[in-house]
Amino acid sequence: MGCVKLVFFILYTFLCQLVFSSALPHLCPEDQAHALLQFKHMFTFNPNASDDCYDTRTLSWSMSTDCCSWDRVLCDETTGQVIELDLYCSGLQGKFYSNSSLFQLSNLKRLDLSRNDFSGSLISPKFGELSSLTHLDLSHSGFTGVIPAEISHLNKLYFLYISTVDPYGLRLGPYNFELLLKNLTQLREIYLDSVNISSIIPLNFSSYLTYLWLRRTQLRGVLPERVFHLSYLSLSSNSLNGPIPSNVSGPQNLQRLYLSSNYLNGTIPSWIFSLPSLSDLYLRNNSFSGKIHEFKSKTLLYVSLKQNQLQGPIPKSLLDQQELYYLILSQNNLSGQIASTVCNLKTLRVLDLGSNHLNGTIPHCLGEMSGLKVLDLNNNRLSGTINTTFNTENQLRIINLYGNKLKGKVPPSLINCRYLEFLDLGNNELNDTFPSWLGGLPYLRILSLRSNKLHGPIKDSRTNNSFAQIRVIDLSSNGFSGKLPVSLFENFQAMKIIGENSGTREYIVDDYSSSYANTLIVTTKGLDLELPRVLTTNIIINLSRNRFEGYLPSIIGDLVGLRSLNLSHNGLEGIIPASLQHLSVLESLDLSSNKIGGEIPQQLVSLTSLEVLNLSHNQFVGCIPQGKQFDTFDNSSYLGNDGLCGFPLSKDCGGDDGVPQATTPVELDDEEEEEGDLISWQAVLMGFGCGLVIGLSIIYIMLSTHYPIWFSRMVVRFDNIIAARMKRHKKRY
Ligand SMILES: *[C@@H]1O[C@H](CO)[C@@H](O)[C@H](O)[C@H]1NC(C)=O
Ligand SMILES: *[C@@H]1O[C@H](CO)[C@@H](O)[C@H](O)[C@H]1NC(C)=O
Ligand SMILES: *[C@@H]1O[C@H](CO)[C@@H](O)[C@H](O)[C@H]1NC(C)=O
Ligand SMILES: *[C@@H]1O[C@H](CO)[C@@H](O)[C@H](O)[C@H]1NC(C)=O
Ligand SMILES: *[C@@H]1O[C@H](CO)[C@@H](O)[C@H](O)[C@H]1NC(C)=O
Ligand SMILES: *[C@@H]1O[C@H](CO)[C@@H](O)[C@H](O)[C@H]1NC(C)=O
Ligand SMILES: *[C@@H]1O[C@H](CO)[C@@H](O)[C@H](O)[C@H]1NC(C)=O
Ligand SMILES: *[C@@H]1O[C@H](CO)[C@@H](O)[C@H](O)[C@H]1NC(C)=O
Ligand SMILES: *[C@@H]1O[C@H](CO)[C@@H](O)[C@H](O)[C@H]1NC(C)=O
Ligand SMILES: *[C@@H]1O[C@H](CO)[C@@H](O)[C@H](O)[C@H]1NC(C)=O
Ligand SMILES: *[C@@H]1O[C@H](CO)[C@@H](O)[C@H](O)[C@H]1NC(C)=O
Ligand SMILES: *[C@@H]1O[C@H](CO)[C@@H](O)[C@H](O)[C@H]1NC(C)=O
């Protein structure tokens, strides 16, 4: 019997469809088709209208077909009226006016205009006339100004999504947010991201509401118990204060809770830990204190409790989750050890426990966590060796163990982290030679080994492509000795390009980067500072506070992308190679506390980006170059160089006919004789004598006309000659 019924049913629906589609070829009223086309023609089509998506389907709309068959249009089956219009990501660009023909589609129930570019358009009060609307999505489309009160007439709305690109570019009108919510009695979901609501959280809203997204909306006041009965709550980046209510009665459906970046305090109440289906818990950047209790469910996906004052151990239940992706507990006062059960989190992508008081050793199994991309245990009290073997399956891109008490060697198995981009082992007690084999990591961009007990010479590693992607290398405050590693510099291919001048692009961008920031301590411009995120503009070499000797190799001049070069507190000698003039984006140059001598090359005035220059405590002589940036440096740049004269020092160089001390011609050895003609150029370039106006003007012309390559090569050759000569000179005396 059942079977016969089924066959009959299929036959029936088939016949119905046949009758419908043949008998009613023009289901769509012509005026509605016209309205749709007219609407579309008000805009240009730009695939870039929204950053991340576009869809060309509206381009196929044409009067030659029934508008009910058009892509992204849905008609009522019986009346033929257009009831749904889904223009999400349609590449529409232009102003959205109140006279838009869209408002003729008075039967619309669902309207999605999100992710287009209506920049500068106001939200028309006429939206309030589309009284059948149950879904309205105006998010990420560039609407600005006041959200008109007429929106609150849409009392059939289930879903209301409005947001702006510029924070607070939209605001709620003079009518009260509370009244809006009160009128929309059917509301299930409301999303008002970055809209300036500027009020307290309303207490009276639709009993159907499950989703309340009011991130960055200038809300203030304390959290009412009422909101915790929703399933999805985002009130991040507001000015809420006080505690989370300690008791919430009734059913608890909360799955996703986002309260980051407020001024909430008190303990995290125990009912939060008992929520049966909690998946996302973001409470970062508040003032929560007390312990993290044991979670009762195993449903967690994302947990970020960063930047609070939480104490006590990491609860065991957090390490016993089945699908946890992010575990971010950094910048708290957590103590105790990291249990090796953390390795049971098979789905974990980000483990960030930095800046706590954790002690004990690093779990041996960490290197076997195959999905992990970020391992950040920086600034804790971890001790022992880095006793883990990173296996070849690992996906790690960031390893940060900075600021612990780790001993022993740099673990050789790091070579298996073939996706590694960021490695910070700084400020530990590692005792090893330079791990030149790290150069084999093809994506390594940032390497910090500063403040350890690393020692010995940095051996030549002529391997091709070794460290080719490196942008930041910090080996400072160790015991490295021998010559500066010329072959290493040669390999820094990524530093040989002048990248972006400014910008906020990060080196390491991934789906997890919004939750996790790869901070890095760097010394630049004379200060230790923490970069909250390492940007593509950070190109840094820091080899300071070691025992390097010998000369500054000319090849440094090839690293034209450098922003900061610090070779201070070593035993370097010789002169500053003129090739450094090519470092046109260099902002900070610190060569202090070495034994570098000779004159400061006049060419360095071409370093117009230079903000900080420290040449103090060396053996420089002669006149300080004058002009451009050099007019901005004060005495401190030159302290402890008795042979220097000229501005800003009080010691005068002696005016136009003054003969600076270091100009005594050096004898040419046989092998250098043929270079004799170049010497005169060098003399000109070095601006022999502060008052030598001609010399300066030649340099000026050279610099302003972009001197040819042969010329710069010549200068480079010269550095070597001078360096060789200085060496001999030194030996003689
Ligand atoms: C879209 O953006 C790309 C890259 O920013 C640009 O080259 C292209 O011209 C843009 N296209 C339009 C239509 O604006
Ligand atoms: C709609 O209004 C805008 C601005 O007020 C005007 O430029 C445009 O011509 C009008 N379009 C129609 C079809 O009336
Ligand atoms: C609520 O909606 C009705 C129409 O449905 C409207 O007349 C009234 O002004 C609205 N109330 C508020 C506070 O906006
Ligand atoms: C938000 O709106 C309030 C009241 O309308 C106003 O005082 C405040 O300056 C606005 N804030 C921002 C950031 O635009
Ligand atoms: C909430 O609004 C409803 C309908 O307007 C009203 O009946 C109820 O008393 C209000 N409740 C509160 C607590 O204001
Ligand atoms: C929390 O609520 C429950 C039942 O509603 C009650 O039994 C309990 O005493 C309350 N606890 C606190 C701390 O208010
Ligand atoms: C922390 O939250 C406050 C308050 O919302 C905000 O001003 C600040 O920018 C936030 N800090 C961070 C690092 O997110
Ligand atoms: C929470 O902050 C409020 C001020 O916003 C303060 O009065 C209160 O004492 C704080 N409570 C705790 C437990 O720190
Ligand atoms: C957290 O640790 C810091 C630094 O050790 C300390 O100054 C602070 O008092 C601690 N806070 C709490 C709430 O224990
Ligand atoms: C870790 O710190 C706790 C105190 O917070 C201390 O009792 C314990 O002995 C320490 N363990 C190790 C291995 O240092
Ligand atoms: C490294 O860890 C393994 C496994 O926990 C242990 O057997 C071994 O003794 C540890 N080695 C060192 C040097 O701590
Ligand atoms: C490094 O380790 C070696 C032996 O392994 C030891 O002789 C040396 O003293 C250590 N260096 C430092 C600075 O601790």
Side-chain angles (χ1 to χ4, degrees), residues 305-375:
L305 305 178
K306 179 174 172 168
Q307 273 178 289
N308 281 289
Q309 286 146 33
L310 298 166
Q311 298 170 13
I314 300 169
K316 287 192 180 67
S317 54
L318 260 183
L319 309 182
D320 189 26
Q321 296 287 326
Q322 271 134 24
E323 282 184 281
L324 192 60
Y325 287 99
Y326 297 172
L327 181 54
I328 300 178
L329 304 178
S330 50
Q331 299 179 47
N332 279 292
N333 282 11
L334 301 176
S335 55
Q337 311 205 357
I338 304 171
S340 59
T341 48
V342 71
C343 306
N344 297 340
L345 297 170
K346 297 292 178 223
T347 54
L348 202 65
R349 297 286 177 273
V350 178
L351 178 62
D352 178 6
L353 306 177
S355 298
N356 278 294
H357 302 165
L358 301 170
N359 64 6
T361 55
I362 292 181
H364 185 254
C365 55
L366 272 185
E368 290 155 26
M369 297 183 71
S370 59
L372 201 63
K373 294 185 173 198
V374 175
L375 173 61

Side-chain angles (χ1 to χ4, degrees), residues 27-29 31-36 61 66-68 70 72-77 79-86 102 104-111 130 132:
L27 207 53
C28 170
D31 61 320
Q32 301 216 345
H34 276 297
L36 280 170
W61 289 1
D66 176 3
C67 86
C68 294
W70 293 354
R72 322 197 72 175
V73 176
L74 189 75
C75 299
D76 184 284
E77 277 183 28
T79 65
Q81 300 287 327
V82 175
I83 53 168
E84 286 189 30
L85 191 54
D86 170 15
L102 181 88
Q104 292 165 25
L105 304 171
S106 55
N107 298 296
L108 275 177
K109 289 186 175 151
R110 282 175 181 257
L111 176 59
L130 300 173
S132 304

Side-chain angles (χ1 to χ4, degrees), residues 450-605:
R450 63 184 282 153
S451 297
N452 276 290
K453 296 175 181 170
L454 304 175
H455 52 82
I458 296 185
K459 298 214 188 71
D460 273 12
S461 64
R462 299 238 171 234
T463 335
N464 276 350
N465 295 323
S466 177
F467 291 112
Q469 292 302 318
I470 212 88
R471 262 83 161 179
V472 176
I473 184 163
D474 188 345
L475 307 180
S476 63
S477 300
N478 278 290
F480 290 119
S481 55
K483 289 187 178 170
L484 287 177
V486 174
S487 61
L488 207 60
F489 294 150
E490 257 166 25
N491 285 337
F492 292 164
Q493 299 303 333
M495 295 195 186
K496 296 182 183 171
I497 306 161
I498 297 184
E500 292 143 81
N501 271 319
S502 59
T504 51
R505 233 159 50 80
E506 286 163 51
Y507 280 132
I508 301 165
V509 184
D510 205 334
D511 47 0
Y512 49 78
S513 48
S514 59
S515 286
Y516 173 80
N518 49 300
T519 59
L520 180 73
I521 308 274
V522 296
T523 310
T524 186
K525 301 179 189 172
L527 298 168
D528 272 4
L529 54 97
E530 183 177 280
L531 299 178
R533 289 173 183 273
V534 187
L535 305 177
T536 48
T537 49
N538 300 122
I539 299 192
I540 298 170
I541 293 179
N542 186 353
L543 304 182
S544 67
R545 295 180 192 275
N546 280 289
R547 295 198 289 271
F548 288 113
E549 302 162 349
Y551 306 119
L552 272 68
S554 285
I555 194 164
I556 293 178
D558 289 359
L559 308 177
V560 294
L562 270 182
R563 305 274 168 168
S564 175
L565 176 63
N566 189 347
L567 303 175
S568 67
H569 293 91
N570 279 293
L572 300 172
E573 52 194 2
I575 59 160
I576 298 182
S579 64
L580 259 53
Q581 69 181 300
H582 303 302
L583 304 181
S584 62
V585 294
L586 194 69
E587 292 166 9
S588 175
L589 176 62
D590 189 348
L591 302 176
S592 63
S593 297
N594 278 292
K595 292 181 279 182
I596 306 169
E599 298 197 13
I600 301 168
Q602 181 66 37
Q603 296 94 315
L604 297 191
V605 295

